[in-house]
C-alpha cells in the first residue's frame, strides 16, 4: 500500500485498494465461514468390497473427489479411512455435502462425529481364580498367554511394572500390529507383554481446532496422561506383582485376569481439561485392532442417554463391534455409571458383552467413637494417626448464624450431610474443613461404597444417612459432643456382602427392550491397579478407582482365559458361557443386593445373568450360540431396512414376511417387555460338554406368569449337537405391571445352564396399538 501511495494518483489508488480489500475480506470471511461449517462426519459403507486395504482407501478418496471436485480438497477433507473391519471414512464436510454423500446408493449412513467419556488386588481370589490353586481356569489356560487383549482408552504407561515380560513367551504369530512412536514414546517401550500401542486423534483435532498440541499436558503419543487406560489394561491382563498395597490398605498381589495375555493399547481419548473420545477416533482404533489381530476388545467408554440405534454410526462402538465379532473377536464394554436409575445402561447392541459393576467382599471400616461410648463404623481410607477425643460440631449455615465456617470448625471434627451420590462430595467437604482449620470430617451421604482418600491423609469418613442422623442426635443432645477417629482397617470376606454398585447403570434396555442389558456383573468398586506416576499415591504407581470402567476389563480378562481354552468358541458362545454359569448369590452363598434408594435384592436389570463365575464358565455344558444369520434376523425383526442390512453384512438380504420375532433371537436370556396374549418363542442350545448328555428343565416363573417349556428333556449325541426348545408364556395379570423376574435352567445334574427371565404385562399399550 505504501508503494501505491508513492506512485501518485492517491485517491484513485486508495479506492482500488479498499475495493480489493473489501472483496478479499468478503472472500476470506466466506471461506472462514465455510471452514467453520465443516464438521467431521462418519461415512459408513458397510462390509468392505475389497480385501486389499489400499483399494478400499482409494475408493474413499474417489468418492470424496467426485463430491468436492479436486484431489486436493478430498485430501484436505479426509480424516480417516476405515478399511480393515469394514468400509467407511471420516471427513470434514458441510451439512449440504454430508447430505449429498448420504444420498449415494452405496452409503449406509452419514452421521456427525460425537464424543464419548470414560465410564483394581482382591478381585481374582474373590472370583475363584487364585494363582495358588493348581487346577483352575487360570492355570488350565496358561494364564491366557496366546491371547491378545486390545484396549481402546487413554493410552498406556509403559514403565509400569504390570507390563513386565517375565516368564512370557514369544509374541503370538497372529499379531500384525506394532508400536507407534510419538511424544515420550517409541517402539522400545513395547515388549513381549505390551506388544502394541497406537494413537488416534485426527477426529479430536478436527473438532477441537483450538487444541494446542505443543502446549497440551497430554502426550501426543500412546503414552497415558490420564491414567485410566493403564488402570483398565492392568485389570484385564496385567502381569503378576506381589506386595502391592495402597496407603497401607488393600495389600497383596496385583495382577490382571489373564496375567500372561498380551496387551495392545489404542489411544483414542484425549485430556483437554477433561477426557473426551471422538467417535471417529474410536472407530479407527477398533478398525486397526481388527487388522492387528486382537482376540478381545475392551472398551471402558460410554455415551449418555438418549442412545443411538445399533446400526447408527453415531454409536461407533456398536458399529465397530459388529464387524469385530464377525471375525471372532469378543467385544466387552462398560455399561455406564448413571445408576441406579432405570433404563440408563449403555453399549446395548446385542453382539456386545455389556458389564455392570459390583462391590468386592472387602470394606474399610473406620471406627468413630462418640463421647457416649457408642462406636459407629464409617468407611474411609484413612491410615494416619488416631484422632483422640476432639470436639464434634454440625456447622450451622442458616441465615441466623453469623459465624464463618472457620469460626465453627477450627480445631474440631465437622459433620456434614450431602445429597450427592459421588465420592467426590466427601473430598469436597473435607477440603473445605481442612482449609478452615478443622481436624477431620464425617460426611453422611447416600449409601454407597466408592471411596477415595483425602489429600494429605486428612481424616474424612463416610457414613449413611441413618448413621449420620444418629451422630447428629448425639451432637444436639450433648452439651460438649466429642468424637475419636481411629485409622481404617481392611476387612475381607464374611461378613462383607456383595452389592451391585449404586453408580452402575441399570436396565431395561432403552433401545431394544427385548434385549437384556447388562449381560453380566464383575467387581468395579475400589479396584487397585496401575496408573501413571502423575496420579499415583505411592511410589510404585498404583491407585484405587471405581466404575463400570473397572468391571469391563475384569470380564475381558475372563474372556481371554476362556479364549485360551476354547479357541473355536464364537463371541456369542463365550458370552453365553459367562451368563449361564454366573452366581446369582455372592461366592459365599449370600444374596446380592443392589445399592440405591431403597436397597433391594438385585435382579437381571442390575446384573444381567449375575456375578461372573469364571471357573464354571469354562465348562458350561451348553451354550446359546449366534452367527451372522442370527444377527440378520435380529435386524429384520426390529425393523432395519433390507438395503441397510445388506450393506452392513456385505451381501444381499431379504427379510421374511411376516418379519421374524425379536423374542426368537437366541440370547442367553428371555425378556418380554409387552406381554398381553400368550406368546411362544424358540431357543437353540449347542452342546459343548460330554458328547452324550441329557438335560431336564426347571423353571422359576416370574410372579403371575405361566411358562410351558417343550420338550422338557433335551437329548444330545453325536448326531444331535444342537437342539431347540419352545417356551410358551402367558400372564394372569389383568393390569399393566412392572417387570417380574424368574429363571429357566437346563440341568444334567453336573451342569446347570441358567438364563434370566424378565416379563412385563402391558395390556393398555397393546390396546392402543390395536385400536
Amino acid at each position: 500500500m505504501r508503494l501505491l501511495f508513492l506512485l501518485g494518483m492517491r485517491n484513485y489508488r486508495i479506492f482500488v485498494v479498499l475495493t480489493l480489500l473489501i472483496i478479499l475480506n468478503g472472500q476470506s470471511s466466506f471461506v472462514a465461514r465455510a471452514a467453520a461449517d465443516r464438521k467431521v462426519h462418519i461415512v459408513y459403507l458397510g462390509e468392505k468390497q475389497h480385501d486389499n486395504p489400499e483399494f478400499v482407501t482409494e475408493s474413499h478418496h474417489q468418492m470424496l473427489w467426485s463430491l468436492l471436485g479436486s484431489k486436493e480438497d478430498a485430501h484436505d477433507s479426509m480424516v480417516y479411512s476405515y478399511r480393515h473391519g469394514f468400509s467407511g471414512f471420516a471427513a470434514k464436510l458441510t451439512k449440504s455435502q454430508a447430505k449429498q454423500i448420504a444420498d449415494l446408493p452405496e452409503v449406509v449412513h452419514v452421521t456427525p462425529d460425537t464424543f464419548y467419556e470414560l465410564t483394581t488386588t482382591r478381585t481374582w481370589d474373590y472370583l475363584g481364580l487364585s494363582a495358588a490353586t493348581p487346577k483352575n481356569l487360570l492355570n488350565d489356560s496358561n494364564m491366557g498367554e496366546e491371547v491378545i487383549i486390545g484396549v481402546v482408552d487413554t493410552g498406556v504407561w509403559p514403565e509400569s511394572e504390570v507390563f513386565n515380560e517375565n516368564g512370557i513367551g514369544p509374541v503370538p504369530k497372529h499379531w500384525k500390529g506394532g508400536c507407534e512412536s510419538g511424544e515420550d514414546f517409541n517402539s522400545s517401550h513395547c515388549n513381549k507383554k505390551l506388544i502394541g500401542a497406537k494413537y488416534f486423534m485426527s477426529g479430536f483435532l478436527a473438532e477441537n481446532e483450538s487444541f494446542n498440541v505443543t502446549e497440551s499436558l497430554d502426550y501426543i503419543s500412546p503414552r497415558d496422561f490420564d491414567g485410566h487406560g493403564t488402570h483398565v489394561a492392568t485389570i484385564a491382563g496385567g502381569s503378576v506383582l506381589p506386595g502391592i498395597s495402597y496407603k497401607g490398605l488393600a495389600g497383596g498381589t496385583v495382577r490382571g485376569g489373564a496375567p500372561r495375555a498380551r496387551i495392545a493399547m489404542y489411544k483414542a481419548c484425549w485430556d483437554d481439561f477433561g477426557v473426551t473420545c471422538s467417535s471417529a477416533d474410536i472407530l479407527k482404533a477398533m478398525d486397526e485392532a481388527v487388522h492387528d489381530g486382537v482376540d478381545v476388545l475392551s472398551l471402558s467408554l460410554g455415551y449418555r442417554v438418549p442412545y443411538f440405534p445399533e446400526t447408527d454410526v453415531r454409536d461407533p462402538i456398536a458399529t465397530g463391534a459388529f464387524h469385530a465379532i464377525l471375525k471372532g473377536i469378543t467385544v466387552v464394554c462398560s455399561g455406564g455409571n448413571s445408576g441406579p436409575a432405570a433404563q440408563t445402561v449403555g453399549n446395548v447392541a446385542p453382539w456386545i458383552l455389556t458389564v455392570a459393576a459390583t462391590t468386592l467382599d472387602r470394606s474399610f471400616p473406620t471406627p468413630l467413637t462418640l463421647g457416649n461410648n457408642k462406636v459407629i463404623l464409617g468407611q474411609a481410607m484413612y491410615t494416619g494417626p488416631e484422632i483422640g477425643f476432639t470436639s464434634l460440631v454440625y456447622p450451622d449455615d442458616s441465615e441466623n448464624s453469623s459465624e464463618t465456617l472457620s469460626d465453627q470448625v477450627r480445631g474440631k471434627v465437622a459433620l456434614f450431610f450431602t445429597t450427592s451420590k459421588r465420592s467426590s462430595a466427601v473430598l469436597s467437604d473435607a477440603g473445605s474443613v481442612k482449609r478452615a482449620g478443622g481436624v477431620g470430617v464425617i460426611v453422611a451421604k447416600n449409601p454407597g461404597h466408592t471411596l477415595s482418600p483425602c489429600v494429605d491423609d486428612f481424616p474424612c469418613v463416610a457414613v449413611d444417612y441413618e448413621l449420620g442422623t444418629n451422630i447428629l442426635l448425639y451432637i444436639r443432645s450433648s452439651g460438649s459432643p466429642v468424637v475419636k477417629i481411629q485409622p481404617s482397617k481392611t476387612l475381607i470376606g464374611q461378613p462383607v456382602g456383595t452389592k451391585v454398585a449404586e453408580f452402575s447403570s441399570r436396565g431395561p434396555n432403552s433401545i431394544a427392550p427385548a434385549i437384556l442389558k447388562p449381560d453380566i456383573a464383575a467387581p468395579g468398586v475400589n479396584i487397585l491397579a496401575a496408573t501413571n506416576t502423575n496420579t499415583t499415591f505411592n511410589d510404585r504407581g498404583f491407585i484405587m478407582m471405581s466404575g463400570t470402567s473397572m468391571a469391563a476389563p475384569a470380564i475381558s480378562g475372563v474372556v481371554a482365559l476362556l479364549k485360551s481354552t476354547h479357541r473355536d468358541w464364537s463371541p456369542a458362545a463365550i458370552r453365553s458361557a459367562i451368563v449361564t454359569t454366573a452366581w446369582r448369590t455372592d461366592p459365599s452363598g449370600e444374596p446380592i443386593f443392589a445399592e440405591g434408594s431403597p436397597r433391594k435384592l438385585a435382579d437381571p436389570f442390575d446384573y444381567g445373568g449375575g456375578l461372573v463365575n469364571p471357573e464354571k464358565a469354562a465348562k458350561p455344558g451348553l451354550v446359546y450360540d449366534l452367527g451372522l444369520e442370527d444377527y440378520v434376523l435380529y435386524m429384520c425383526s426390529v425393523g432395519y431396512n433390507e438395503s441397510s442390512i445388506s450393506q452392513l453384512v456385505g451381501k444381499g438380504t431379504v427379510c421374511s414376511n411376516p418379519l421374524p420375532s425379536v423374542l426368537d433371537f437366541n440370547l442367553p436370556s428371555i425378556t418380554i417387555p409387552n406381554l398381553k396374549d400368550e406368546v411362544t418363542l424358540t431357543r437353540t442350545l449347542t452342546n459343548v460338554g460330554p458328547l452324550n448328555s441329557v438335560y431336564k428343565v426347571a423353571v422359576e416363573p416370574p410372579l403371575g406368569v405361566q411358562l410351558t417349556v417343550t420338550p422338557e428333556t433335551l437329548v444330545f449325541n453325536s448326531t444331535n449337537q444342537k437342539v431347540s426348545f419352545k417356551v410358551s408364556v402367558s400372564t394372569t395379570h389383568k393390569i399393566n405391571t412392572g417387570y417380574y423376574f424368574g429363571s429357566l435352567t437346563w440341568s444334567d445334574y453336573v451342569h446347570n445352564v441358567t438364563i434370566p427371565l424378565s416379563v412385563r404385562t402391558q395390556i393398555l399399550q397393546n390396546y392402543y396399538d390395536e385400536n
Side-chain angles (χ1 to χ4, degrees):
M1 289 176 61
R2 289 179 58 198
L3 283 173
L4 290 174
F5 293 149
L6 293 173
L7 290 172
M9 301 177 65
R10 178 172 180 173
N11 291 336
Y12 175 74
R13 299 296 190 189
I14 291 174
F15 171 77
V16 171
V17 170
L18 287 176
T19 302
L20 287 171
L21 285 173
I22 290 169
I23 293 171
L24 290 173
N25 281 338
Q27 289 177 338
S28 64
S29 64
F30 173 78
V31 171
R33 282 198 304 273
D37 289 341
R38 290 197 311 165
K39 300 290 184 184
V40 175
H41 288 73
I42 297 173
V43 181
Y44 177 58
L45 303 170
E47 189 65 23
K48 63 185 190 296
Q49 301 302 309
H50 302 283
D51 289 331
N52 187 324
E54 300 302 325
F55 288 170
V56 178
T57 296
E58 180 59 28
S59 69
H60 298 160
H61 280 282
Q62 289 286 350
M63 186 178 287
L64 267 181
W65 182 7
S66 63
L67 173 72
L68 303 178
S70 74
K71 284 185 176 181
E72 290 76 15
D73 288 344
H75 184 272
D76 177 63
S77 173
M78 183 74 77
V79 176
Y80 286 123
S81 171
Y82 307 118
R83 57 189 192 166
H84 299 301
F86 55 92
S87 176
F89 58 89
K92 291 177 281 188
L93 303 170
T94 64
K95 285 185 179 179
S96 62
Q97 290 169 341
K99 186 178 186 310
Q100 282 179 268
I101 209 164
D103 291 337
L104 296 176
E106 63 267 42
V107 174
V108 180
H109 288 300
V110 177
T111 53
D113 196 8
T114 51
F115 286 88
Y116 279 62
E117 56 195 29
L118 304 175
T119 37
T120 203
T121 53
R122 175 66 184 162
T123 299
W124 305 111
D125 288 345
Y126 166 69
L127 294 178
L129 287 180
S130 171
T133 304
K135 285 294 292 180
N136 63 11
L137 175 60
L138 183 67
N139 292 303
D140 290 347
S141 63
N142 197 22
M143 302 187 183
E145 183 159 10
E146 289 301 308
V147 175
I148 302 166
I149 303 173
V151 179
V152 180
D153 214 282
T154 63
V156 65
W157 197 259
E159 291 84 2
S160 174
E161 297 171 83
V162 296
F163 301 118
N164 75 75
E165 59 184 8
N166 298 339
I168 296 178
V171 173
K173 293 180 180 178
H174 65 281
W175 176 243
K176 301 176 185 175
C179 281
E180 188 175 1
S181 296
E183 184 180 358
D184 288 347
F185 198 99
N186 57 54
S187 59
S188 68
H189 285 110
C190 288
N191 57 18
K192 290 185 291 185
K193 177 67 178 180
L194 178 64
I195 63 173
K198 296 181 179 180
Y199 68 101
F200 308 88
M201 70 181 311
S202 298
F204 174 80
L205 289 176
E207 296 288 1
N208 294 272
E209 294 181 357
S210 62
F211 182 78
N212 191 318
V213 172
T214 58
E215 295 181 3
S216 167
L217 293 175
D218 206 339
Y219 301 95
I220 312 305
S221 74
R223 184 172 288 277
D224 185 7
F225 173 77
D226 178 79
H228 188 272
T230 303
H231 201 268
V232 299
T234 307
I235 299 167
S239 297
V240 177
L241 281 180
I244 300 297
S245 68
Y246 184 62
K247 297 178 67 60
L249 298 165
T253 296
V254 169
R255 63 173 177 84
R260 287 186 182 168
R262 317 310 170 99
I263 299 295
M265 176 59 68
Y266 299 85
K267 181 176 178 179
C269 300
W270 299 89
D271 197 317
D272 184 24
F273 302 102
V275 177
T276 56
C277 321
S278 155
S279 59
D281 294 336
I282 294 170
L283 204 52
K284 183 62 175 175
M286 296 179 77
D287 188 45
E288 285 292 310
V290 170
H291 167 266
D292 291 346
V294 303
D295 300 292
V296 185
L297 260 174
S298 189
L299 295 96
S300 292
L301 313 175
Y303 202 68
R304 293 185 178 182
V305 290
Y307 298 120
F308 301 112
E310 301 100 334
T311 58
D312 192 323
V313 181
R314 282 173 292 185
D315 185 350
I317 295 175
T319 303
F322 180 78
H323 295 283
I325 64 106
L326 292 184
K327 293 170 175 60
I329 301 168
T330 299
V331 182
V332 182
C333 295
S334 53
N337 300 330
S338 298
Q343 298 184 327
T344 53
V345 64
N347 291 319
V348 296
W351 41 84
I352 288 174
L353 185 45
T354 309
V355 187
T358 70
T359 63
L360 288 161
D361 60 342
R362 178 178 65 193
S363 67
F364 303 101
T366 307
L368 303 171
T369 305
L370 305 179
N372 58 8
N373 289 323
K374 183 175 182 179
V375 178
I376 289 176
L377 290 180
Q379 289 282 315
M381 301 190 71
Y382 174 60
T383 56
E386 177 181 299
I387 306 296
F389 281 108
T390 302
S391 292
L392 175 62
V393 64
Y394 178 58
D396 186 354
D397 59 358
S398 68
E399 294 180 2
N400 298 327
S401 174
S402 60
E403 290 185 304
T404 65
L405 180 65
S406 180
D407 294 331
Q408 296 181 74
V409 307
R410 186 180 297 112
K412 303 173 183 177
V413 174
L415 170 69
F416 286 90
F417 283 74
T418 179
T419 57
S420 174
K421 299 177 181 178
R422 304 302 181 192
S423 59
S424 57
V426 177
L427 303 182
S428 175
D429 287 337
S432 299
V433 171
K434 187 173 186 291
R435 288 190 295 273
V439 298
V441 66
I442 303 167
V443 180
K445 61 187 288 290
N446 200 284
H449 288 78
T450 54
L451 296 173
S452 297
C454 288
V455 175
D456 299 327
D457 210 12
F458 186 76
C460 56
V461 185
V463 295
D464 63 23
Y465 291 135
E466 178 185 349
L467 295 177
T469 301
N470 289 340
I471 297 171
L472 181 59
L473 291 175
Y474 161 70
I475 292 173
R476 288 175 171 170
S477 65
S478 173
S480 53
V482 293
V483 66
K484 178 172 68 175
I485 303 177
Q486 294 173 257
S488 304
K489 309 292 184 184
T490 302
L491 181 61
I492 292 174
Q494 299 178 19
V496 182
T498 302
K499 305 167 190 69
V500 176
E502 184 187 37
F503 60 75
S504 186
S505 292
R506 312 296 166 89
N509 182 339
S510 63
I511 295 294
I515 306 299
L516 177 65
K517 291 291 175 175
D519 294 292
I520 195 68
V525 176
N526 301 327
I527 306 300
L528 181 64
T531 184
N532 63 23
T533 54
N534 295 335
T535 56
T536 183
F537 280 78
N538 64 53
D539 58 2
R540 292 186 70 178
F542 291 82
I543 195 170
M544 291 184 101
M545 296 174 70
S546 297
T548 55
S549 281
M550 285 65 249
I555 294 296
S556 298
V558 173
V559 170
L561 299 181
L562 294 175
K563 192 77 174 177
S564 289
T565 54
H566 303 287
R567 296 296 300 190
D568 58 333
W569 281 9
S570 70
I574 289 174
R575 188 250 301 272
S576 175
I578 287 173
V579 171
T580 61
T581 59
W583 279 299
R584 289 186 292 163
T585 64
D586 77 2
S588 68
E590 292 293 324
I592 297 176
F593 280 81
E595 290 183 344
S597 297
R599 185 175 296 170
K600 64 180 182 66
L601 283 172
D603 61 49
F605 291 156
D606 301 313
Y607 62 12
L611 175 66
V612 63
N613 184 340
E615 197 64 25
K616 289 285 188 183
K619 297 177 181 179
L622 307 174
V623 296
Y624 294 83
D625 208 353
L626 291 164
L628 175 59
E629 295 303 319
D630 298 285
Y631 294 119
V632 169
L633 288 175
Y634 165 75
M635 286 182 276
C636 287
S637 73
V638 295
Y640 295 121
N641 65 63
E642 293 172 350
S643 62
S644 292
I645 298 172
S646 298
Q647 289 170 310
L648 181 73
V649 302
K651 65 179 183 178
T653 299
V654 177
C655 294
S656 64
N657 188 11
L659 291 174
S661 169
V662 68
L663 298 180
D664 289 329
F665 190 51
N666 203 42
L667 287 175
S669 60
I670 295 174
T671 306
I672 306 176
N674 55 355
L675 181 64
K676 177 187 177 185
D677 301 318
E678 182 176 277
V679 297
T680 299
L681 55 92
T682 301
R683 288 290 185 274
T684 301
L685 281 162
T686 302
N687 185 20
V688 294
L691 186 62
N692 297 304
S693 300
V694 178
Y695 285 80
K696 295 185 180 298
V697 73
V699 177
E700 294 179 12
L703 180 68
V705 174
Q706 297 173 334
L707 286 95
T708 303
V709 179
T710 309
E712 295 183 350
T713 301
L714 303 182
V715 179
F716 296 89
N717 51 44
S718 58
T719 57
N720 276 350
Q721 295 185 11
K722 290 179 180 285
V723 179
S724 297
F725 64 94
K726 293 185 180 297
V727 183
S728 296
V729 188
S730 60
T731 179
T732 60
H733 295 292
K734 304 301 181 186
I735 61 170
N736 283 6
T737 70
Y739 280 94
Y740 291 104
F741 305 98
S743 65
L744 186 157
T745 301
W746 290 100
S747 176
D748 66 352
Y749 304 105
V750 175
H751 307 91
N752 293 308
V753 187
T754 302
I755 62 173
L757 307 175
S758 311
V759 181
R760 179 176 64 179
T761 301
Q762 288 286 282
I763 297 170
L764 187 61
Q765 181 62 48
N766 285 333
Y767 172 84
Y768 277 107
D769 289 344
E770 294 166 4
N771 292 276

